[in-house]
PDB file of all heavy atoms in Angstrom:
ATOM      1  N   LEU A   1     121.869 111.624 101.981  1.00  0.00           N
ATOM      2  CA  LEU A   1     120.447 111.733 101.877  1.00  0.00           C
ATOM      3  C   LEU A   1     119.876 110.820 100.813  1.00  0.00           C
ATOM      4  O   LEU A   1     118.686 110.447 100.848  1.00  0.00           O
ATOM      5  CB  LEU A   1     120.001 113.212 101.708  1.00  0.00           C
ATOM      6  CG  LEU A   1     120.173 114.116 102.904  1.00  0.00           C
ATOM      7  CD1 LEU A   1     119.813 115.551 102.504  1.00  0.00           C
ATOM      8  CD2 LEU A   1     119.213 113.701 104.007  1.00  0.00           C
ATOM      9  N   PHE A   2     120.689 110.649  99.802  1.00  0.00           N
ATOM     10  CA  PHE A   2     120.217 109.935  98.583  1.00  0.00           C
ATOM     11  C   PHE A   2     119.646 108.549  98.947  1.00  0.00           C
ATOM     12  O   PHE A   2     118.562 108.208  98.501  1.00  0.00           O
ATOM     13  CB  PHE A   2     121.393 109.824  97.564  1.00  0.00           C
ATOM     14  CG  PHE A   2     120.959 109.278  96.212  1.00  0.00           C
ATOM     15  CD1 PHE A   2     120.534 110.119  95.247  1.00  0.00           C
ATOM     16  CD2 PHE A   2     121.016 107.875  95.984  1.00  0.00           C
ATOM     17  CE1 PHE A   2     120.119 109.624  93.971  1.00  0.00           C
ATOM     18  CE2 PHE A   2     120.601 107.418  94.741  1.00  0.00           C
ATOM     19  CZ  PHE A   2     120.197 108.259  93.786  1.00  0.00           C
ATOM     20  N   GLU A   3     120.445 107.779  99.709  1.00  0.00           N
ATOM     21  CA  GLU A   3     119.993 106.435 100.048  1.00  0.00           C
ATOM     22  C   GLU A   3     118.769 106.414 100.933  1.00  0.00           C
ATOM     23  O   GLU A   3     117.879 105.568 100.813  1.00  0.00           O
ATOM     24  CB  GLU A   3     121.122 105.675 100.697  1.00  0.00           C
ATOM     25  CG  GLU A   3     122.260 105.298  99.827  1.00  0.00           C
ATOM     26  CD  GLU A   3     121.788 104.425  98.646  1.00  0.00           C
ATOM     27  OE1 GLU A   3     120.891 103.591  98.870  1.00  0.00           O
ATOM     28  OE2 GLU A   3     122.291 104.587  97.497  1.00  0.00           O
ATOM     29  N   SER A   4     118.678 107.394 101.866  1.00  0.00           N
ATOM     30  CA  SER A   4     117.516 107.452 102.700  1.00  0.00           C
ATOM     31  C   SER A   4     116.245 107.786 101.893  1.00  0.00           C
ATOM     32  O   SER A   4     115.212 107.217 102.143  1.00  0.00           O
ATOM     33  CB  SER A   4     117.692 108.606 103.741  1.00  0.00           C
ATOM     34  OG  SER A   4     118.793 108.314 104.581  1.00  0.00           O
ATOM     35  N   ILE A   5     116.400 108.658 100.887  1.00  0.00           N
ATOM     36  CA  ILE A   5     115.263 108.985 100.040  1.00  0.00           C
ATOM     37  C   ILE A   5     114.864 107.772  99.196  1.00  0.00           C
ATOM     38  O   ILE A   5     113.651 107.485  99.045  1.00  0.00           O
ATOM     39  CB  ILE A   5     115.594 110.209  99.112  1.00  0.00           C
ATOM     40  CG1 ILE A   5     115.801 111.441  99.985  1.00  0.00           C
ATOM     41  CG2 ILE A   5     114.445 110.467  98.158  1.00  0.00           C
ATOM     42  CD1 ILE A   5     116.330 112.636  99.210  1.00  0.00           C
ATOM     43  N   ALA A   6     115.846 107.112  98.646  1.00  0.00           N
ATOM     44  CA  ALA A   6     115.541 105.976  97.772  1.00  0.00           C
ATOM     45  C   ALA A   6     114.773 104.903  98.612  1.00  0.00           C
ATOM     46  O   ALA A   6     113.798 104.285  98.123  1.00  0.00           O
ATOM     47  CB  ALA A   6     116.829 105.369  97.257  1.00  0.00           C
ATOM     48  N   GLU A   7     115.210 104.630  99.874  1.00  0.00           N
ATOM     49  CA  GLU A   7     114.552 103.663 100.733  1.00  0.00           C
ATOM     50  C   GLU A   7     113.105 104.160 101.052  1.00  0.00           C
ATOM     51  O   GLU A   7     112.172 103.302 101.083  1.00  0.00           O
ATOM     52  CB  GLU A   7     115.334 103.494 102.043  1.00  0.00           C
ATOM     53  CG  GLU A   7     114.724 102.487 103.016  1.00  0.00           C
ATOM     54  CD  GLU A   7     114.591 101.041 102.416  1.00  0.00           C
ATOM     55  OE1 GLU A   7     115.362 100.686 101.506  1.00  0.00           O
ATOM     56  OE2 GLU A   7     113.631 100.368 102.838  1.00  0.00           O
ATOM     57  N   ALA A   8     112.953 105.416 101.372  1.00  0.00           N
ATOM     58  CA  ALA A   8     111.609 105.972 101.630  1.00  0.00           C
ATOM     59  C   ALA A   8     110.630 105.805 100.445  1.00  0.00           C
ATOM     60  O   ALA A   8     109.514 105.502 100.653  1.00  0.00           O
ATOM     61  CB  ALA A   8     111.722 107.463 102.054  1.00  0.00           C
ATOM     62  N   ILE A   9     111.198 106.026  99.194  1.00  0.00           N
ATOM     63  CA  ILE A   9     110.309 105.829  98.038  1.00  0.00           C
ATOM     64  C   ILE A   9     109.971 104.363  97.876  1.00  0.00           C
ATOM     65  O   ILE A   9     108.804 104.055  97.500  1.00  0.00           O
ATOM     66  CB  ILE A   9     111.030 106.378  96.814  1.00  0.00           C
ATOM     67  CG1 ILE A   9     111.165 107.950  96.958  1.00  0.00           C
ATOM     68  CG2 ILE A   9     110.238 106.114  95.533  1.00  0.00           C
ATOM     69  CD1 ILE A   9     111.937 108.607  95.805  1.00  0.00           C
ATOM     70  N   ARG A  10     110.881 103.502  98.051  1.00  0.00           N
ATOM     71  CA  ARG A  10     110.577 102.054  97.969  1.00  0.00           C
ATOM     72  C   ARG A  10     109.511 101.628  98.947  1.00  0.00           C
ATOM     73  O   ARG A  10     108.583 100.909  98.583  1.00  0.00           O
ATOM     74  CB  ARG A  10     111.826 101.235  98.130  1.00  0.00           C
ATOM     75  CG  ARG A  10     112.807 101.252  96.978  1.00  0.00           C
ATOM     76  CD  ARG A  10     113.848 100.166  97.080  1.00  0.00           C
ATOM     77  NE  ARG A  10     114.794 100.403  98.186  1.00  0.00           N
ATOM     78  CZ  ARG A  10     115.945 101.148  98.133  1.00  0.00           C
ATOM     79  NH1 ARG A  10     116.253 101.670  96.891  1.00  0.00           N
ATOM     80  NH2 ARG A  10     116.683 101.340  99.146  1.00  0.00           N
ATOM     81  N   THR A  11     109.632 102.107 100.160  1.00  0.00           N
ATOM     82  CA  THR A  11     108.593 101.800 101.177  1.00  0.00           C
ATOM     83  C   THR A  11     107.298 102.421 100.803  1.00  0.00           C
ATOM     84  O   THR A  11     106.222 101.746 100.985  1.00  0.00           O
ATOM     85  CB  THR A  11     109.006 102.352 102.564  1.00  0.00           C
ATOM     86  OG1 THR A  11     110.307 101.795 102.889  1.00  0.00           O
ATOM     87  CG2 THR A  11     108.001 102.060 103.656  1.00  0.00           C
ATOM     88  N   PHE A  12     107.284 103.653 100.292  1.00  0.00           N
ATOM     89  CA  PHE A  12     106.029 104.266  99.905  1.00  0.00           C
ATOM     90  C   PHE A  12     105.337 103.505  98.812  1.00  0.00           C
ATOM     91  O   PHE A  12     104.103 103.279  98.872  1.00  0.00           O
ATOM     92  CB  PHE A  12     106.339 105.741  99.441  1.00  0.00           C
ATOM     93  CG  PHE A  12     105.135 106.486  99.006  1.00  0.00           C
ATOM     94  CD1 PHE A  12     104.311 107.234  99.870  1.00  0.00           C
ATOM     95  CD2 PHE A  12     104.721 106.495  97.676  1.00  0.00           C
ATOM     96  CE1 PHE A  12     103.264 107.917  99.462  1.00  0.00           C
ATOM     97  CE2 PHE A  12     103.640 107.146  97.258  1.00  0.00           C
ATOM     98  CZ  PHE A  12     102.878 107.866  98.135  1.00  0.00           C
ATOM     99  N   ASN A  13     106.128 103.097  97.777  1.00  0.00           N
ATOM    100  CA  ASN A  13     105.540 102.419  96.633  1.00  0.00           C
ATOM    101  C   ASN A  13     104.956 101.074  97.101  1.00  0.00           C
ATOM    102  O   ASN A  13     103.882 100.576  96.515  1.00  0.00           O
ATOM    103  CB  ASN A  13     106.602 102.127  95.585  1.00  0.00           C
ATOM    104  CG  ASN A  13     106.966 103.385  94.839  1.00  0.00           C
ATOM    105  OD1 ASN A  13     106.259 104.416  94.920  1.00  0.00           O
ATOM    106  ND2 ASN A  13     108.104 103.417  94.141  1.00  0.00           N
ATOM    107  N   ALA A  14     105.555 100.419  98.095  1.00  0.00           N
ATOM    108  CA  ALA A  14     105.004  99.146  98.622  1.00  0.00           C
ATOM    109  C   ALA A  14     103.762  99.420  99.385  1.00  0.00           C
ATOM    110  O   ALA A  14     102.794  98.553  99.326  1.00  0.00           O
ATOM    111  CB  ALA A  14     106.118  98.485  99.481  1.00  0.00           C
ATOM    112  N   ASP A  15     103.704 100.458 100.182  1.00  0.00           N
ATOM    113  CA  ASP A  15     102.521 100.708 101.044  1.00  0.00           C
ATOM    114  C   ASP A  15     101.372 101.308 100.211  1.00  0.00           C
ATOM    115  O   ASP A  15     100.154 101.078 100.621  1.00  0.00           O
ATOM    116  CB  ASP A  15     102.891 101.706 102.187  1.00  0.00           C
ATOM    117  CG  ASP A  15     103.870 101.088 103.206  1.00  0.00           C
ATOM    118  OD1 ASP A  15     104.003  99.863 103.241  1.00  0.00           O
ATOM    119  OD2 ASP A  15     104.511 101.870 103.944  1.00  0.00           O
ATOM    120  N   TYR A  16     101.659 102.062  99.214  1.00  0.00           N
ATOM    121  CA  TYR A  16     100.619 102.751  98.432  1.00  0.00           C
ATOM    122  C   TYR A  16     100.836 102.401  96.898  1.00  0.00           C
ATOM    123  O   TYR A  16     101.205 103.305  96.140  1.00  0.00           O
ATOM    124  CB  TYR A  16     100.660 104.239  98.653  1.00  0.00           C
ATOM    125  CG  TYR A  16     100.444 104.615 100.100  1.00  0.00           C
ATOM    126  CD1 TYR A  16     101.545 104.946 100.904  1.00  0.00           C
ATOM    127  CD2 TYR A  16      99.232 104.660 100.699  1.00  0.00           C
ATOM    128  CE1 TYR A  16     101.408 105.246 102.267  1.00  0.00           C
ATOM    129  CE2 TYR A  16      99.004 105.032 102.019  1.00  0.00           C
ATOM    130  CZ  TYR A  16     100.141 105.319 102.788  1.00  0.00           C
ATOM    131  OH  TYR A  16      99.962 105.630 104.138  1.00  0.00           O
ATOM    132  N   PRO A  17     100.588 101.170  96.485  1.00  0.00           N
ATOM    133  CA  PRO A  17     100.832 100.779  95.092  1.00  0.00           C
ATOM    134  C   PRO A  17     100.018 101.605  94.114  1.00  0.00           C
ATOM    135  O   PRO A  17     100.493 101.852  92.995  1.00  0.00           O
ATOM    136  CB  PRO A  17     100.496  99.346  95.054  1.00  0.00           C
ATOM    137  CG  PRO A  17      99.593  99.066  96.295  1.00  0.00           C
ATOM    138  CD  PRO A  17     100.059 100.032  97.334  1.00  0.00           C
ATOM    139  N   GLU A  18      98.823 102.046  94.520  1.00  0.00           N
ATOM    140  CA  GLU A  18      98.005 102.836  93.576  1.00  0.00           C
ATOM    141  C   GLU A  18      98.575 104.177  93.405  1.00  0.00           C
ATOM    142  O   GLU A  18      98.218 104.918  92.386  1.00  0.00           O
ATOM    143  CB  GLU A  18      96.568 102.951  94.069  1.00  0.00           C
ATOM    144  CG  GLU A  18      96.415 103.719  95.406  1.00  0.00           C
ATOM    145  CD  GLU A  18      96.555 102.889  96.685  1.00  0.00           C
ATOM    146  OE1 GLU A  18      97.325 101.878  96.622  1.00  0.00           O
ATOM    147  OE2 GLU A  18      95.860 103.115  97.616  1.00  0.00           O
ATOM    148  N   TYR A  19      99.480 104.668  94.264  1.00  0.00           N
ATOM    149  CA  TYR A  19     100.122 105.980  94.129  1.00  0.00           C
ATOM    150  C   TYR A  19     101.626 105.821  93.849  1.00  0.00           C
ATOM    151  O   TYR A  19     102.402 106.721  94.036  1.00  0.00           O
ATOM    152  CB  TYR A  19      99.896 106.895  95.339  1.00  0.00           C
ATOM    153  CG  TYR A  19      98.463 107.143  95.630  1.00  0.00           C
ATOM    154  CD1 TYR A  19      97.758 106.486  96.569  1.00  0.00           C
ATOM    155  CD2 TYR A  19      97.824 108.196  94.841  1.00  0.00           C
ATOM    156  CE1 TYR A  19      96.405 106.800  96.820  1.00  0.00           C
ATOM    157  CE2 TYR A  19      96.486 108.472  95.103  1.00  0.00           C
ATOM    158  CZ  TYR A  19      95.765 107.751  96.067  1.00  0.00           C
ATOM    159  OH  TYR A  19      94.468 108.064  96.290  1.00  0.00           O
ATOM    160  N   ALA A  20     102.066 104.588  93.487  1.00  0.00           N
ATOM    161  CA  ALA A  20     103.500 104.356  93.346  1.00  0.00           C
ATOM    162  C   ALA A  20     104.163 105.328  92.341  1.00  0.00           C
ATOM    163  O   ALA A  20     103.578 105.583  91.315  1.00  0.00           O
ATOM    164  CB  ALA A  20     103.689 102.930  92.830  1.00  0.00           C
ATOM    165  N   CYS A  21     105.280 105.800  92.754  1.00  0.00           N
ATOM    166  CA  CYS A  21     106.073 106.711  91.894  1.00  0.00           C
ATOM    167  C   CYS A  21     106.943 105.937  90.877  1.00  0.00           C
ATOM    168  O   CYS A  21     107.788 105.094  91.267  1.00  0.00           O
ATOM    169  CB  CYS A  21     106.951 107.562  92.760  1.00  0.00           C
ATOM    170  SG  CYS A  21     107.999 108.723  91.824  1.00  0.00           S
ATOM    171  N   GLY A  22     106.714 106.190  89.606  1.00  0.00           N
ATOM    172  CA  GLY A  22     107.501 105.439  88.550  1.00  0.00           C
ATOM    173  C   GLY A  22     108.708 106.168  88.093  1.00  0.00           C
ATOM    174  O   GLY A  22     109.372 105.782  87.220  1.00  0.00           O
ATOM    175  N   ILE A  23     109.046 107.279  88.790  1.00  0.00           N
ATOM    176  CA  ILE A  23     110.208 108.066  88.396  1.00  0.00           C
ATOM    177  C   ILE A  23     111.415 107.546  89.169  1.00  0.00           C
ATOM    178  O   ILE A  23     111.365 107.441  90.445  1.00  0.00           O
ATOM    179  CB  ILE A  23     109.985 109.574  88.762  1.00  0.00           C
ATOM    180  CG1 ILE A  23     108.753 110.122  88.016  1.00  0.00           C
ATOM    181  CG2 ILE A  23     111.277 110.368  88.259  1.00  0.00           C
ATOM    182  CD1 ILE A  23     108.379 111.526  88.453  1.00  0.00           C
ATOM    183  N   LEU A  24     112.468 107.186  88.452  1.00  0.00           N
ATOM    184  CA  LEU A  24     113.638 106.627  89.072  1.00  0.00           C
ATOM    185  C   LEU A  24     114.440 107.725  89.740  1.00  0.00           C
ATOM    186  O   LEU A  24     114.662 108.800  89.153  1.00  0.00           O
ATOM    187  CB  LEU A  24     114.572 105.981  88.000  1.00  0.00           C
ATOM    188  CG  LEU A  24     115.832 105.247  88.532  1.00  0.00           C
ATOM    189  CD1 LEU A  24     115.427 104.118  89.514  1.00  0.00           C
ATOM    190  CD2 LEU A  24     116.656 104.752  87.394  1.00  0.00           C
ATOM    191  N   LEU A  25     114.868 107.558  90.936  1.00  0.00           N
ATOM    192  CA  LEU A  25     115.605 108.572  91.678  1.00  0.00           C
ATOM    193  C   LEU A  25     117.041 108.727  91.163  1.00  0.00           C
ATOM    194  O   LEU A  25     117.810 107.770  91.229  1.00  0.00           O
ATOM    195  CB  LEU A  25     115.654 108.213  93.197  1.00  0.00           C
ATOM    196  CG  LEU A  25     116.442 109.198  94.051  1.00  0.00           C
ATOM    197  CD1 LEU A  25     115.922 110.563  93.999  1.00  0.00           C
ATOM    198  CD2 LEU A  25     116.496 108.674  95.548  1.00  0.00           C
ATOM    199  N   THR A  26     117.300 109.834  90.598  1.00  0.00           N
ATOM    200  CA  THR A  26     118.669 110.214  90.167  1.00  0.00           C
ATOM    201  C   THR A  26     118.818 111.680  90.480  1.00  0.00           C
ATOM    202  O   THR A  26     117.856 112.379  90.801  1.00  0.00           O
ATOM    203  CB  THR A  26     118.845 110.029  88.654  1.00  0.00           C
ATOM    204  OG1 THR A  26     117.924 110.899  87.958  1.00  0.00           O
ATOM    205  CG2 THR A  26     118.582 108.585  88.256  1.00  0.00           C
ATOM    206  N   GLU A  27     120.070 112.154  90.428  1.00  0.00           N
ATOM    207  CA  GLU A  27     120.305 113.563  90.693  1.00  0.00           C
ATOM    208  C   GLU A  27     119.516 114.418  89.740  1.00  0.00           C
ATOM    209  O   GLU A  27     119.058 115.483  90.091  1.00  0.00           O
ATOM    210  CB  GLU A  27     121.825 113.855  90.548  1.00  0.00           C
ATOM    211  CG  GLU A  27     122.641 113.293  91.682  1.00  0.00           C
ATOM    212  CD  GLU A  27     124.119 113.672  91.577  1.00  0.00           C
ATOM    213  OE1 GLU A  27     124.403 114.582  90.785  1.00  0.00           O
ATOM    214  OE2 GLU A  27     124.938 113.163  92.372  1.00  0.00           O
ATOM    215  N   GLU A  28     119.447 114.030  88.457  1.00  0.00           N
ATOM    216  CA  GLU A  28     118.761 114.800  87.452  1.00  0.00           C
ATOM    217  C   GLU A  28     117.237 114.811  87.647  1.00  0.00           C
ATOM    218  O   GLU A  28     116.588 115.756  87.224  1.00  0.00           O
ATOM    219  CB  GLU A  28     119.098 114.239  86.052  1.00  0.00           C
ATOM    220  CG  GLU A  28     120.532 114.413  85.625  1.00  0.00           C
ATOM    221  CD  GLU A  28     121.487 113.394  86.261  1.00  0.00           C
ATOM    222  OE1 GLU A  28     120.909 112.408  86.833  1.00  0.00           O
ATOM    223  OE2 GLU A  28     122.670 113.630  86.291  1.00  0.00           O
TER     224      GLU A  28
END
């Protein structure tokens, strides 16, 4: 699931730059 989530966040940040998430995806 980790890679799928990472890809979804990258797509989200590209589509909605004003709401881009600056938190790096890690287990922690």
